[in-house]
Amino acid sequence: MRNDSNWTTDRRTLLAGAAASAAALLAPAKAFAADGLDAVRKAVAANHDEAVKRLQDWIRLPSIAAENKAMPEGAAYMAKLATDAGFQHAEIVPTRGHPGVFATLDAGAKRTMGIYFMYDVKQYDPAEWSSPPIEARLLDKEGFGQVVMGRGAVNQKGPQATFLAALHGMKKAGKKLPVNLVLVAEGEEEIGSPHFSDIVIKPNVLAALKKCVGVIIPTGWQSPATGGVEINLGAKGVVEFELVASGEKWGRGPKEDLHSSQKARVDSPAWRLVAALSTLVTPDGNTPLVDGFMDKVRPLTPRERELILLASKNLNEADAKRAAGVTHWIDDMSWEAALERLAAQPTINIEGLVSGYTGPGGKTILPSRAVAKIDMRLVPNMTRDDSIAKLRAHLDKRGFKDIEVNVSGGYDPTETPEDSDLVRAMQATYKRFNVPTTLYPRLAGSWPGVTFTGAPVNLPAGQFGLGHGSGAHAPNEYFVIKSSNPKVLGMDEAAVAFVAFLEEIAKS
């Protein structure tokens, strides 16, 4: 999902850097006096090398669903990580696709917290990396400190390993967790979670989740500029698919690649795909034109508009542009308008185009096949199935019945109430760690939170965590281990923050 050089602009955050009042910008690492977590802090520090090695070993086992690579091994390792961290029960759960993992930890507590993990990672090209992507080397990164670099470092193994470090720290400190835990993990998040519901609707898994206060996915999204984080009250849905034009399906053009001189008398599937794509959006590519696609879009509520206005004052536009690597927003719109569009606008995006020869130099052929990899982002009241049906009808109406629509995964948008115990616990923990916090209507990226917030589970769900990493889906992905930035927590203190969060859940 969301491909970009910075995690805060691709898969699970909205903008780099939440800023609040100057008084809130205290260095988090220096603000822990009398917080009651000293014993855990010492235990986590004593376990530091073990926790880092656990993360490195995990990165060195890349499970890639899109390539069917090491999926059984990834599930088995995920189950082992759970039992090593203190979960009394862990099982590998078969699905119609790749397996998941379900685990429970009974601490004898009154309240139970749900945790979502993913053990799969995105594909990678070693030639694009400055450090081998599965060696998980520890490196010094200017302005950040010691980082681990590798595929999955921030998306999602670094934050997840930090949560596991919190559990190991509690064990070493001889303390019981303040809540019981239910862990559900999948191996297909990076292909749109097509079978995640198979895991969640299993009777024993569903019964366990029904006891939870809510569900979080661990994150590490602190802004290096301010130390701030966003609490997202939802996330856009996503659909990933391919559009395929071929001479074979079309009945025109070549069934195999031809010499390009034949273009004078032979139709081109590549140009046919271009023609089909041009009907999906406005000429600038920024507004969907699929028939009926926008009909179910729910307008922003007054409260959502209020949150966006507050965010425009608290967040730094220059930081956001710098993180995204851009100098202009669409139509040179204002900062507030850009934030509003980020939360409210459905999108149809071309992830990649593949046809014919793409190597060095030229190769004069007329390709027999052309493929566009597409993702659509959906906002509340839109659904995956309805959006795909409208796309298919749109193409058919315009004479493109031969264009194949191959859906690989996706899910609906998700929302969580601002006044839920889950969000209140997040706010209380961030306040406890003196972290500037901005509420935002929804994540522009996507995660399968609707599996929890929708029927039959019906729980609040969102992202929580401190620390920092970047480069999800991109080369040189990293996660901070020892921070040299006083506004960003290193792995150890971020682990302690997870313990504090569980304490807030227990009190909620």
Side-chain angles (χ1 to χ4, degrees):
M1 338 225 112
R2 309 141 286 101
N3 294 350
D4 183 289
S5 62
N6 191 310
W7 172 254
T8 59
T9 60
D10 51 28
R11 156 144 138 126
R12 296 184 169 69
T13 62
L14 296 169
L15 298 162
S21 64
L25 298 179
L26 298 174
K30 299 178 181 177
F32 302 124
D35 63 2
L37 295 169
D38 287 346
V40 175
R41 187 170 284 110
K42 289 176 182 177
V44 169
N47 281 348
H48 175 82
D49 290 346
E50 173 188 312
V52 173
K53 184 178 185 301
R54 186 182 306 116
L55 172 55
Q56 289 177 298
D57 289 345
W58 202 0
I59 291 172
R60 290 164 184 158
L61 178 62
S63 298
I64 303 175
E67 298 176 350
N68 196 22
K69 179 177 181 180
M71 301 310 297
E73 296 89 340
Y77 194 71
M78 180 70 258
K80 182 179 185 302
L81 287 172
T83 55
D84 288 349
F87 285 84
Q88 297 100 339
H89 170 80
E91 63 179 274
I92 295 174
V93 183
T95 74
R96 291 166 293 165
H98 298 302
V101 174
F102 165 61
T104 55
L105 191 162
D106 185 354
K110 292 181 179 180
R111 309 205 84 183
T112 301
M113 186 67 212
I115 309 296
Y116 167 85
F117 273 19
M118 50 183 277
Y119 67 83
D120 65 317
V121 298
K122 270 294 185 189
Q123 308 93 309
Y124 55 85
D125 180 355
E128 297 176 340
W129 290 63
S130 64
S131 178
I134 61 170
E135 288 191 8
R137 293 180 182 176
L138 295 177
L139 307 170
D140 289 328
K141 186 173 179 63
E142 185 176 359
F144 294 93
Q146 185 188 67
V147 305
V148 62
M149 184 170 288
R151 176 53 83 224
V154 69
N155 180 21
Q156 196 53 34
K157 293 177 177 179
Q160 292 170 175
T162 303
F163 184 84
L164 295 175
L167 303 187
H168 282 274
M170 290 290 283
K171 279 203 304 181
K172 189 175 184 68
K175 294 182 175 293
K176 283 188 176 183
L177 284 174
V179 295
N180 311 310
L181 297 178
V182 174
L183 172 71
V184 282
E186 66 165 319
E188 296 182 328
E189 199 281 343
E190 295 293 9
I191 59 170
S193 304
H195 304 107
F196 183 46
S197 61
D198 290 2
I199 301 168
V200 170
I201 64 174
K202 279 197 66 179
N204 62 328
V205 179
L206 182 57
L209 285 170
K210 284 284 193 179
K211 300 175 183 177
C212 294
V213 175
V215 180
I216 62 160
I217 174 174
T219 54
W221 295 346
Q222 278 188 281
S223 161
T226 67
V229 296
E230 297 86 32
I231 295 177
N232 300 297
L233 302 177
K236 288 182 178 180
V238 69
V239 189
E240 287 195 286
F241 58 95
E242 292 181 342
L243 296 183
V244 182
S246 66
E248 181 178 4
K249 292 284 186 180
W250 187 16
R252 305 182 67 87
K255 293 184 179 179
E256 296 181 353
D257 291 356
L258 279 179
H259 192 282
S260 65
S261 63
Q262 295 294 317
K263 183 66 198 79
R265 61 182 183 181
V266 177
D267 290 306
S268 166
W271 280 114
R272 182 157 180 80
L273 179 62
V274 170
L277 290 172
S278 69
T279 72
L280 303 183
V281 293
T282 51
D284 60 10
N286 295 331
T287 303
L289 289 180
V290 170
D291 296 338
F293 185 72
M294 306 288 282
D295 289 354
K296 292 188 177 181
V297 171
R298 190 190 74 196
L300 291 171
T301 66
R303 176 55 176 163
E304 287 172 335
R305 291 185 182 279
E306 181 183 9
L307 290 175
I308 290 170
L309 177 61
L310 291 171
S312 71
K313 296 175 179 178
N314 289 339
L315 300 172
N316 186 285
E317 182 177 17
D319 285 345
K321 285 182 175 178
R322 186 162 44 250
V326 302
T327 56
H328 298 272
W329 304 127
I330 289 171
D331 299 327
D332 291 319
M333 66 181 65
S334 70
W335 179 221
E336 183 181 349
L339 288 172
E340 182 172 307
R341 188 177 174 92
L342 191 65
Q345 176 70 21
T347 60
I348 299 177
N349 173 61
I350 298 175
E351 297 178 357
L353 290 169
V354 183
S355 183
Y357 179 70
T358 59
K363 185 179 181 183
T364 50
I365 61 168
L366 195 171
S368 61
R369 189 172 186 268
V371 180
K373 293 180 178 292
I374 308 286
D375 66 65
M376 300 191 296
R377 301 287 170 174
L378 313 177
V379 299
N381 290 3
M382 301 178 78
T383 67
R384 170 192 183 276
D385 292 345
D386 180 66
S387 298
I388 285 293
K390 285 174 175 173
L391 174 76
R392 179 72 271 173
H394 173 96
L395 292 171
D396 291 353
K397 181 179 178 181
R398 286 156 181 79
F400 293 109
K401 291 184 179 181
D402 58 288
I403 300 287
E404 299 173 64
V405 180
N406 300 324
V407 180
S408 58
Y411 37 81
D412 298 346
T414 180
E415 295 186 276
T416 285
E418 182 180 348
D419 62 354
S420 64
D421 287 348
L422 181 70
V423 171
R424 287 173 175 169
M426 292 177 183
Q427 291 172 312
T429 308
Y430 289 141
K431 182 177 181 180
R432 188 169 168 181
F433 280 67
N434 292 302
V435 172
T437 305
T438 297
L439 279 173
Y440 200 80
R442 71 186 52 89
L443 189 67
S446 305
W447 75 293
V450 68
T451 312
F452 304 114
T453 61
V457 183
N458 300 314
L459 289 174
Q463 308 86 29
F464 174 85
L466 293 173
H468 173 78
S470 188
H473 298 192
N476 298 331
E477 181 179 355
Y478 69 89
F479 184 72
V480 173
I481 301 298
K482 294 181 179 179
S483 178
S484 63
N485 181 339
K487 292 175 181 171
V488 170
L489 300 188
M491 185 178 182
D492 287 359
E493 199 57 49
V496 176
F498 278 121
V499 176
F501 171 73
L502 297 179
E503 289 184 345
E504 295 298 334
I505 288 290
K507 294 189 294 186
S508 63

